Amino acid sequence: MDFLSLFAVYVVFVVTCIVLVCKYSGQEQSPFGRALSSLKEAVSPWIPEGVRSISHRALHRLFHQRNSLLVALHLLLEGAVYGEFTYEVFGFCREMDMGLPSLCVPYVLLALKSYFYYQCCVRDPGVVTERNHASLVQVYRYDGVLFQPGVLCPTCCFVKPARSKHCRVCNRCVQRFDHHCVWVNNCIGGQNTRHFLLYLLCVCVMAGDMAVLTAGMLFHAVLRSNLLHASYIDQQGQRQPAGLFFIVQHLFLTFPRIVFMLGFLVAVFALLAGYAAFHLYLALVNQTSNEWYKRKGRGCRHCRPAVSRGHSHAAQRGFYSRGIFGNLREILQPLSHSPKKHT
């Protein structure tokens, strides 16, 4: 496979990831979401009805029903990356006298990430049941803007606690609901938000560290082969110095799997770094992504319902904020029932 083909694979991969994130992150009214909807409407008449039906059912099954397919894909990609890193990059780095402790860091991060990932997958996110409903209603006060007292969940048939939401994928109400994550096949709620945030941070650091080590190995390979001072004969018979494009193409041809892995790591880091930063911001201000999207939708004074001045001010300042350290403490130690303290 030549350089341009591999580059095309990278572009397709990155664009696909961006489209999926924009489409299924809950931002249906974002510019990307509207553009994707317009493109879908334009292309749909040219696609056979049977193909459209199959693709619709497949996407519905993948993103709107609980299944372990993306969990398996996550583990498969992770295994492929670590297999390539161990098989080729680790050995090359040892030959270049890189320190063993720095090469072991990705494996330590893998162990930490695996623990947090397992907790995200299996831990109760804070499901509201008849048994704990009475105590969960007392954890947070209703802000009167996003969460109104006395609202009945038509599926679970009980009054929704403040900051809870019924997950249509899991078919259950979750306390302090953030979102349903298809990559862990579970909801992210009050009881596992800390594990999800630490999982994201571990994946970002892990991808960044492995990318730096891999890029360092390739840079050492360029130095050892003296490519920076090399030259080649072009089609006109003129001697030309080897530029960046020539060096990158040479690396593709010499280390195709390693360069492909480096591109994958950079793409993962770029995609997840912003997502992790967003969730870290939410943790610092004590909001969930569900609340952030709802408040964002209320940003237009012509669209939002009339609310009292006090309620509007409270919604803007952060009704549930307890200060930065208090908000972080709430993430690390989820609140129990204490109506006087936990507002």
Side-chain angles (χ1 to χ4, degrees), residues 214-328:
T214 304
M217 185 276 291
L218 293 174
F219 182 71
H220 277 81
V222 171
L223 292 180
R224 292 177 65 175
S225 60
N226 203 28
L227 279 176
L228 295 178
H229 303 93
S231 60
Y232 66 97
I233 305 298
D234 62 14
Q235 295 179 352
Q236 287 74 34
Q238 301 294 323
R239 184 174 296 274
Q240 301 290 343
L244 178 61
F245 182 84
F246 180 87
I247 294 175
V248 172
Q249 188 171 14
H250 174 78
L251 291 175
F252 263 104
L253 296 174
T254 310
F255 309 103
R257 293 193 302 271
I258 294 178
V259 176
F260 184 81
M261 182 190 74
L262 176 60
F264 177 78
L265 290 172
V266 171
V268 169
F269 179 82
L271 287 170
L272 290 186
Y275 193 61
F278 171 65
H279 276 276
L280 182 59
Y281 161 77
L282 292 179
L284 293 176
V285 299
N286 203 337
Q287 283 189 20
T288 65
S289 60
N290 176 55
E291 295 163 1
W292 188 85
Y293 291 133
K294 285 183 176 180
R295 286 196 171 99
K296 183 180 178 182
R298 293 172 184 267
C300 175
R301 62 186 179 87
H302 300 289
C303 300
R304 67 178 176 227
V307 296
S308 69
R309 188 172 183 178
H311 278 156
S312 177
H313 182 70
Q316 294 175 2
R317 291 293 300 273
F319 185 81
Y320 297 107
S321 179
R322 301 151 55 88
I324 292 179
F325 294 105
N327 294 338
L328 289 177

Side-chain angles (χ1 to χ4, degrees), residues 53-250:
S53 177
I54 292 174
S55 62
H56 177 76
R57 288 199 300 268
L59 289 175
H60 178 77
R61 171 65 179 168
L62 191 60
F63 292 100
H64 298 288
Q65 293 182 2
R66 294 196 71 182
N67 67 85
S68 301
L69 181 60
L70 290 180
V71 174
L73 178 61
H74 175 284
L75 298 177
L76 178 63
L77 291 174
E78 186 176 81
V81 169
Y82 267 88
E84 178 63 23
F85 180 84
T86 304
Y87 180 69
E88 290 199 86
V89 178
F90 191 93
F92 279 120
C93 290
R94 290 297 293 158
E95 291 178 4
M96 297 173 181
D97 297 326
M98 287 191 181
L100 185 60
S102 62
L103 292 176
C104 291
V105 171
Y107 300 97
V108 176
L109 292 172
L110 175 63
L112 290 174
K113 191 260 358 166
S114 298
Y115 169 75
F116 295 129
Y117 183 72
Y118 176 77
Q119 292 296 324
C120 289
C121 292
V122 304
R123 192 176 184 88
D124 178 7
V127 178
V128 183
T129 64
E130 294 182 359
R131 186 173 183 178
N132 62 16
H133 175 264
S135 61
L136 293 181
V137 168
Q138 303 177 64
V139 175
Y140 296 106
R141 289 194 298 119
Y142 295 94
D143 63 357
V145 180
L146 299 180
F147 305 102
Q148 304 286 347
V151 176
L152 188 71
C153 175
T155 304
C156 300
C157 298
F158 48 61
V159 175
K160 292 183 178 180
R163 308 191 78 181
S164 69
K165 185 178 183 297
H166 186 87
C167 176
R168 65 186 182 190
V169 180
C170 297
N171 196 31
R172 58 190 182 182
C173 283
V174 178
Q175 182 221 19
R176 201 183 183 277
F177 179 86
D178 191 275
H179 69 288
H180 180 90
C181 180
V182 295
W183 294 102
V184 301
N185 195 29
N186 198 6
C187 294
I188 305 302
Q191 299 302 316
N192 64 352
T193 297
R194 62 188 185 277
H195 299 111
F196 182 72
L197 185 59
L198 291 171
Y199 157 70
L200 286 179
L201 294 176
C202 282
V203 172
C204 288
V205 175
M206 186 172 70
D209 183 63
M210 294 178 71
V212 169
L213 290 173
T214 304
M217 185 276 291
L218 293 174
F219 182 71
H220 277 81
V222 171
L223 292 180
R224 292 177 65 175
S225 60
N226 203 28
L227 279 176
L228 295 178
H229 303 93
S231 60
Y232 66 97
I233 305 298
D234 62 14
Q235 295 179 352
Q236 287 74 34
Q238 301 294 323
R239 184 174 296 274
Q240 301 290 343
L244 178 61
F245 182 84
F246 180 87
I247 294 175
V248 172
Q249 188 171 14
H250 174 78

